[in-house]
Amino acid sequence: MEALIAVCIGLLVGGGVYLLLRSRSFSVVLGLTLLSYATNLLLFASGGLKTNQAPLIHQGGPFADPLPQALVLTAIVIGFAMTAFMLVLALRALNDLGSDRVDARQRGEER
């Protein structure tokens, strides 16, 4: 199970970095989102993958560590806010510059 999670994290990081290196702003936003998902999986897997255990402390029984779960929930909220802000910023740049390219210049400037 740990190997599968590690491969998924690697694929998400690879796809996120590839999209970050693209020149379109929407691809950059998707790349940041994929990196955020990879970070969430990494935080969740850092607590150990345990099955058939209580999520809270049970009398005398084993339990899952709640700290990685709380960190992932916080990271999801922060990632959602960051994605919304980046989308608004990309749409504003598209409206002002007339292009969704990251390296675009203002209208009227020569290259």
Side-chain angles (χ1 to χ4, degrees):
M1 180 63 97
E2 287 85 6
L4 179 64
I5 294 294
V7 168
C8 288
I9 292 171
L11 288 174
L12 285 172
V13 168
V17 169
Y18 174 76
L19 288 173
L20 276 176
L21 296 175
R22 308 272 303 175
S23 64
R24 302 282 183 189
S25 59
F26 188 68
S27 297
V28 171
V29 172
L30 284 179
L32 285 173
T33 304
L34 285 181
L35 283 177
S36 174
Y37 292 160
T39 305
N40 291 344
L41 273 177
L42 181 68
L43 284 174
F44 191 69
S46 70
L49 302 173
K50 298 178 178 88
T51 57
N52 297 328
Q53 291 187 358
L56 300 174
I57 297 176
H58 206 197
Q59 291 181 346
F63 62 94
D65 187 14
L67 182 62
Q69 296 171 11
L71 288 173
V72 167
L73 285 175
T74 305
I76 288 171
V77 171
I78 292 170
F80 179 72
M82 181 191 67
T83 303
F85 176 72
M86 291 294 293
L87 279 175
V88 168
L89 195 64
L91 288 174
R92 176 69 188 257
L94 175 64
N95 191 23
D96 288 349
L97 301 175
S99 173
D100 67 339
R101 296 183 62 86
V102 175
D103 59 352
R105 297 182 181 169
Q106 290 183 353
R107 293 179 188 159
E109 287 186 18
E110 294 184 22
R111 290 193 172 210

